[in-house]
Amino acid sequence: MILVRLISKLPLHVLYIFSDFLYLLAYYLIGYRKKVVQDNLKHAFPEKSHAERREIEKKFYRNFTDSLAETIKLLTMDENEMSKRFLTKNPALIFDLVDKGEIVIGMCGHFFNWEGHLLTVSSKVQEKCETIYTRINQPFFEKLMQTIRGRMGAKITEKKSFQRNFLKNRKIPRLIVLAADQRPNLLDIRYRTSFMNRQTAFFEGGEKLAKRFNLTVIYAFTSKPKRGHYEFEYRMLAAPPYTSHEPHSITEKFISLLADNIREHPDLYLWSHNRWKNQTNPTTEASQP
């Protein structure tokens, strides 16, 4: 950890030199998860030519290695630099409600650099931010990410403990950040629908919480104007009352915004994640509503 902290002290433009090297290594020499990335892009953008998909692929790997450098830098990056590099637009949609004593759910996708976004938001509301995560099996990286994500005061809650903790703390106003595009475990799957040209399973935890406790749901539309700078535009996804909402209405709206975000900025999405693994397993079909 000491070595990582020392590396984090380097200016970001120096860390980008390491990122450039990692890009060459990951893309041209090792081919890190290249088959997964290519297969995902081929299904998601069948209308694009091979050359167009290859351009997205290369930009994705650039963004991927840049995000690694940026995440290491987040271990020591000060709030002033953070606010310049990770710009939040329409933050009042969240912070005004939290200040009024409400709980807001932020449903987001895995766009670069989500770690910088999380840390920037938590720097503004400190302990009034809670992020739900899946534990990393490697102890060193688990400790590292816990340290980075919690350094501005945000509460870090493991996914399996979230439901119990929410019921215990349902009166505490805060922003709850859910990465709602992760592949659910087979027993967790609640809803299947078409997404990026494939049948896909989604969690419905965010929708269930929002409708049960009348919570506002926000989506962060992600873009990257230039290297090392990101913009997260908050958009209203759903708001109470939910008396007229059909089943899956919030989840479907999230999926629609997620797909729009991907189509507008395809190289920012985490294509190396095997999102569609086991999606045709009979067990998953049986567990849908």
Side-chain angles (χ1 to χ4, degrees):
M1 186 67 74
I2 294 175
L3 178 60
V4 176
R5 189 172 292 275
L6 288 174
I7 294 173
S8 178
K9 293 285 187 178
L10 294 172
L12 193 53
H13 69 268
V14 175
L15 293 177
Y16 280 146
I17 296 175
F18 293 99
S19 172
D20 291 340
F21 173 74
L22 284 176
Y23 163 71
L24 295 174
L25 190 66
Y27 186 72
Y28 289 103
L29 296 180
I30 298 176
Y32 173 73
R33 294 195 176 184
K34 187 178 282 190
K35 289 184 178 180
V36 173
V37 172
Q38 291 174 344
D39 184 64
N40 285 341
L41 289 174
K42 185 176 181 179
H43 280 86
F45 301 106
E47 76 283 0
K48 293 185 181 297
S49 67
H50 176 76
E52 289 173 320
R53 290 196 297 269
R54 179 61 60 88
E55 185 65 19
I56 296 172
E57 181 184 324
K58 289 181 178 180
K59 288 181 178 179
F60 158 75
Y61 277 95
R62 284 279 188 186
N63 287 322
F64 179 74
T65 58
D66 274 3
S67 74
L68 296 178
E70 292 156 359
T71 300
I72 291 174
K73 184 62 183 176
L74 286 171
L75 186 61
T76 58
M77 186 182 290
D78 62 49
E79 291 187 45
N80 183 52
E81 182 177 2
M82 205 179 298
S83 64
K84 291 178 180 178
R85 292 188 175 278
F86 304 98
L87 178 65
T88 56
K89 304 174 74 173
N90 301 330
L93 283 177
I94 294 174
F95 303 136
D96 284 359
L97 292 174
V98 173
D99 288 342
K100 291 177 182 178
E102 297 185 26
I103 293 176
V104 177
I105 295 178
M107 293 177 67
C108 59
H110 279 83
F111 292 93
F112 303 122
N113 185 326
W114 65 84
E115 299 291 355
H117 178 211
L118 171 63
L119 209 56
T120 300
V121 172
S122 62
S123 72
K124 300 179 186 300
V125 291
Q126 285 85 45
E127 72 281 355
K128 293 183 179 179
C129 180
E130 179 181 8
T131 183
I132 315 306
Y133 85 106
T134 301
R135 178 176 291 275
I136 302 172
N137 292 328
Q138 215 288 335
F140 173 79
F141 290 105
E142 168 69 11
K143 182 179 179 181
L144 175 63
M145 296 314 300
Q146 286 264 13
T147 302
I148 291 173
R149 292 167 177 168
R151 65 176 285 241
M152 293 297 174
K155 181 180 179 183
I156 313 299
T157 302
E158 193 176 357
K159 185 176 69 174
K160 65 181 182 180
S161 305
F162 172 60
Q163 185 174 1
R164 180 178 67 254
N165 288 345
F166 179 84
L167 293 174
K168 181 180 177 181
N169 301 306
R170 64 184 181 274
K171 300 295 185 180
I172 299 177
R174 63 198 187 279
L175 167 66
I176 298 176
V177 181
L178 298 174
D181 64 335
Q182 289 184 325
R183 185 183 73 236
N185 294 324
L186 297 181
L187 296 178
D188 293 332
I189 293 173
R190 293 294 182 270
Y191 184 55
R192 291 175 59 85
T193 189
S194 179
F195 171 65
M196 303 308 293
N197 302 310
R198 285 200 270 189
Q199 282 295 303
T200 310
F202 284 89
F203 291 114
E204 282 206 295
E207 172 159 340
K208 291 178 184 299
L209 281 178
K211 290 183 174 179
R212 180 177 175 183
F213 296 98
N214 284 315
L215 308 179
T216 299
V217 185
I218 301 296
Y219 178 82
F221 198 93
T222 305
S223 60
K224 184 179 182 179
K226 60 181 179 179
R227 193 178 199 183
H229 293 263
Y230 301 82
E231 293 183 356
F232 305 94
E233 180 186 355
Y234 298 134
R235 300 183 182 183
M236 182 69 70
L237 199 156
Y242 295 111
T243 53
S244 62
H245 278 236
E246 296 293 328
H248 320 299
S249 59
I250 297 176
T251 305
E252 284 286 1
K253 183 68 180 297
F254 166 73
I255 294 169
S256 177
L257 284 171
L258 180 68
D260 288 346
N261 203 162
I262 290 173
R263 293 188 183 101
E264 191 165 334
H265 303 286
D267 53 296
L268 295 181
Y269 195 63
L270 188 63
W271 297 109
S272 57
H273 174 46
N274 200 354
R275 179 64 175 84
W276 288 272
K277 182 180 179 180
N278 296 329
Q279 292 298 293
T280 58
N281 188 298
T283 305
T284 66
E285 296 290 348
S287 60
Q288 70 179 19

